[in-house]
Structure formats: C-alpha cells, structure tokens
C-alpha cells in the first residue's frame, strides 16, 4: 500500500514509518517540524516533506495514496486556557484541511491518532447509584488529601472501572477537546464522502525517542528527565492515580494493522483503545524508572491540579477483536528500558 503519513518525523510517526516500510509498504512522510515538538534548530529529514497542514495544501502528495495515517498534532495537556487557540489551529483546523484535500483526491481511507483523553476522567461504580461519571473534584477534598472523586448523585465513595469505546466523551483539557473535535470532523467526512476511518485512542505512550521535559511532555518523560538530572521524580497527589502505559512499538504496530485493515471496516468511524492491558499507578511508574536508573526514590508531593484525571483505564478487547492487536511490551519491562532509552531533546 502507498501511505501518506503525517507527523512522520514525530515520536510515534517515526516508529510507524519504520514498521510500515519493514512490512513492504511505501510511505510518503509529511511533517511541519513544529518548534514545540522538534526545537528551533532541528535538521529536517530530506526524505520527509516539510509542510504545514494549517497553511499548505497537500493535494499533490495525495496522488496515488491508498490510505492516510494522520499523526500530526500538538500534544500534551497544555498549560492553561491560553493554549486553546493553538490546539484548535494545529489539531482541528489542520485535520479539517487534510480531510478536504482527501475528498478532492478521492482518498477514502483514514487511520488517525486519537487519545484516551477524550474520555476525561474514567468511569466509576457507586454502591448505591451504580455506574456513574465522577463528580468534579472539590477543592476542600483535594486540600485535605482526598484525591478520589465522589459520586455525582449521593456524594459517596466510588471505585474506578474499566471503560470501553462507547464511553461518553468528557474532555477536560485543550488537547482533549481538540481530539474530540478531530474525531467528529473525521466522522462527518466519512458521512459526506462514504469514507472509512479508524481512530486509535492511545493510552499513555512511552518509549525511545519521546520528547524530553517540556510543558507538553507526558509524565513518563518528565520523570525520566528528572532522573537524568540527578533529581527524584516528583509525583503529584498520592501517586495512586491509575493508568495504562503502552509502548510506542505497540502503538506503531496498532497503526500499521489498522492501515492494512481499514478497507475491511464499514463506512464511518470505528474507534479502538490502544492500551497494554496492564494497569499501573503513576507512583509505580516513577518507582520503576528510578530503580532501573539507580536514581533517587520518587517523592510524593501532595500537589494537585484540579483538572487532572484521577483514574482512567480502558479495555483493549475491541482492538484485539477488530484489528488482531495485542500489546507485546509489558509496562514493567518497557518502563525499565525507558530509564536508559534516548529521548528527543530540543
């Protein structure tokens, strides 16, 4: 197959391109080389077309393309509300322009990067009120060290549960809102063009080549950078926040499987969670990194941000059934390797 890969020079895109070529596909790489991801002095790969989807058409690059794999995005949760326009422009407007170009070129198959952040906080079960979304965490609870959310009905204790792809969207950050919008644009494009789209909702991706410590880095990179500086990782709240950490190799494999199978999907958008299937707490992740690197033990700061997600874990069952995808790298092994993996520096 001939694939147009956006974000081809990025953390995940680099791995997708490599695996796709190893499986015999032809890859046309495209990247804007945004400074937030690559730094101001990046040396572009001459094999990758440097073009910004926000401002430049890509009609010429779509000639002969079988499927588009859309990874280009501004990532991370953002810093504050002032980031909203940048996420809307880089993620949503750019995606809309790409979809319009695909319609002009007659390209009808899309694989796109989405994220578990579309769900916001996970879903919970209350012994009295059953399955519920979490109530917004209260400042007095957070200040008192009560970090788990309450039931939105009775205000009592709730326990997290595994969620699936039918879970309602509840975005909590600029990035999350932009990912919801990207999925909606893709769904509308499918309806208008009788297209097929596969949206892969990544969980916490880590591995070699991930961006080092910036305001837009993931927590694994932030901890890894602190350890490299000889500092103890500083863990917010009590460190018991539950996540699923999935290795970039597995995320890239999921994309290539989706590329190879998108034509067998029905018209419309099909979403899959891409996860390792192993729960891990933020505190456990920090401790694993520190032990593997021989660094300082993590420090539980008790600090919090009201908008942070407490627990979110999704089932990988649909991706296993629909794509034949099962993660190969267990978090204990992959996170230990991350202690010595090279990071992308700016």
């Amino acid at each position: 197959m001939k694939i147009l890969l956006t974000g081809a020079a990025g953390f995940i895109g680099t791995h997708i391109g490599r695996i796709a070529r190893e499986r015999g596909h032809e890859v046309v790489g495209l990247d804007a080389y945004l400074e937030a991801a690559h730094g101001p002095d990046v040396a572009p790969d001459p094999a990758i077309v440097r073009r910004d989807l926000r401002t430049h058409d890509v009609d010429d690059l779509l000639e002969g393309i079988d499927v588009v794999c859309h990874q280009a995005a501004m990532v991370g949760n953002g810093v504050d509300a002032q980031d909203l326009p940048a996420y809307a422009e880089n993620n949503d407007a750019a995606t809309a322009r790409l979809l319009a170009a695909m319609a002009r070129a007659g390209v009808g198959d899309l694989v796109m990067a989405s994220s578990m952040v579309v769900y916001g906080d996970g879903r919970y079960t209350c012994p009295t009120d059953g399955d519920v979304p979490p109530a917004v965490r209260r400042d007095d609870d957070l200040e008192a060290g009560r970090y788990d959310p309450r039931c939105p009905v009775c205000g009592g204790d709730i326990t997290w549960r595994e969620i699936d792809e039918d879970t309602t969207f509840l975005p909590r950050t600029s990035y999350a809102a932009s990912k919801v919008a990207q999925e909606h644009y893709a769904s509308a494009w499918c309806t208008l063009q009788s297209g097929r789209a596969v949206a892969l909702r990544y969980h916490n991706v880590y591995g070699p080549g991930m961006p080092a410590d910036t305001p837009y880095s993931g927590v694994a990179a932030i901890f890894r950078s602190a350890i490299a500086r000889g500092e103890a990782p500083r863990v917010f709240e009590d460190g018991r926040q539950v996540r699923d950490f999935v290795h970039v190799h597995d995320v890239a494999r999921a994309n290539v499987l989706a590329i190879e199978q998108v034509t067998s999907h029905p018209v419309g958008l099909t979403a899959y969670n891409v996860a390792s299937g192993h729960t891990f707490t933020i505190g456990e992740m920090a401790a694993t990194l520190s032990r593997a690197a021989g660094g300082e033990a993590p420090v539980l700061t008790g600090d919090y941000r009201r908008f942070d997600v407490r627990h979110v874990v999704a089932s990988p069952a649909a991706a296993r059934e629909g794509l034949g995808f099962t993660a190969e790298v267990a978090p204990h092994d992959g996170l230990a390797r991350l202690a010595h993996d090279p990071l992308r520096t700016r």
Side-chain angles (χ1 to χ4, degrees):
M1 300 177 74
K2 188 175 182 180
I3 304 159
L4 176 63
L5 174 61
T6 74
F11 168 42
I12 296 172
T14 300
H15 291 267
I16 293 172
R18 173 181 54 79
I19 292 176
R21 292 185 181 96
E22 289 173 353
R23 291 173 71 96
H25 301 296
E26 180 182 354
V27 179
V28 178
L30 168 69
D31 204 292
Y33 285 94
L34 295 177
E35 183 173 331
H38 299 277
D41 303 317
V42 64
D45 183 340
I48 295 174
V49 177
R50 186 171 190 173
R51 199 174 299 181
D52 193 328
L53 288 169
R54 294 173 296 174
T55 54
H56 294 83
D57 289 331
V58 292
D59 298 64
D60 57 320
L61 300 180
L62 286 164
E63 294 179 7
I65 292 296
D66 297 303
V67 59
V68 172
C69 183
H70 183 36
Q71 303 295 313
M74 181 176 175
V75 299
N77 284 328
V79 177
D80 55 35
Q82 299 309 308
D83 282 325
L84 282 165
Y87 279 99
E89 291 160 8
N90 281 287
N91 296 357
D92 305 333
T95 297
R97 288 180 61 89
L98 173 64
L99 293 169
M102 291 173 64
R104 291 192 296 271
V107 179
D109 292 314
L110 171 71
V111 174
M112 62 181 291
S114 186
S115 173
M116 56 88 178
V117 298
V118 298
Y119 303 123
D121 215 330
R123 296 300 178 272
Y124 295 77
T125 299
C126 172
T128 302
D129 299 297
D131 291 341
V132 293
V136 175
R137 297 194 295 176
R138 297 173 3 191
D139 286 332
D140 60 335
D141 277 344
L142 292 167
E143 290 171 6
R146 179 193 169 108
Y147 302 113
D148 285 322
R150 297 175 181 267
C151 175
V153 180
C154 69
D157 293 336
I158 51 180
T159 55
W160 67 267
R161 63 183 174 87
E162 198 175 65
I163 57 179
D164 61 23
E165 288 80 358
D166 292 331
T167 300
T168 304
F169 291 159
L170 288 173
R172 301 177 64 139
T173 64
S174 305
Y175 177 58
S178 75
K179 282 296 171 183
V180 170
Q182 281 185 297
E183 288 202 28
H184 285 165
Y185 275 115
S187 181
W189 167 81
C190 288
T191 299
L192 294 167
Q193 295 299 129
S194 297
R196 292 175 291 257
V198 172
L200 300 178
R201 295 174 183 164
Y202 306 155
H203 282 249
N204 295 73
V205 187
Y206 69 95
M210 69 189 304
D213 193 357
T214 80
Y216 304 96
S217 295
V219 67
I222 292 172
F223 290 165
R224 166 71 165 73
S225 297
I227 293 166
R229 295 192 300 268
E231 301 170 3
R234 296 179 60 80
V235 181
F236 278 16
E237 302 182 11
D238 58 3
R240 296 178 183 172
Q241 307 94 310
V242 180
R243 297 289 189 275
D244 185 303
F245 292 93
V246 58
H247 196 272
V248 67
H249 170 77
D250 286 321
V251 172
R253 285 180 49 248
N255 273 274
V256 176
L257 288 171
I259 288 166
E260 294 172 344
Q261 298 177 66
V262 63
T263 57
S264 66
H265 281 66
V267 168
L269 184 143
T270 305
Y272 296 108
N273 293 314
V274 177
S276 73
H278 300 276
T279 57
F280 227 67
T281 69
I282 299 292
E284 287 173 328
M285 183 267 287
T288 298
L289 281 173
S290 292
R291 282 194 302 270
E296 298 287 332
V299 173
L300 299 178
T301 67
D303 295 339
Y304 62 85
R305 295 178 299 189
R306 194 164 178 264
F307 64 81
D308 277 346
V309 169
R310 179 60 176 171
H311 308 299
V312 58
V313 177
S315 169
R320 182 172 59 249
E321 295 167 8
L323 297 176
F325 167 76
T326 301
E328 295 177 343
V329 182
H332 277 289
D333 298 329
L335 288 167
R337 293 206 302 265
L338 181 64
H340 305 286
D341 281 337
L343 300 186
R344 183 187 299 262
T345 57
R346 301 176 67 254

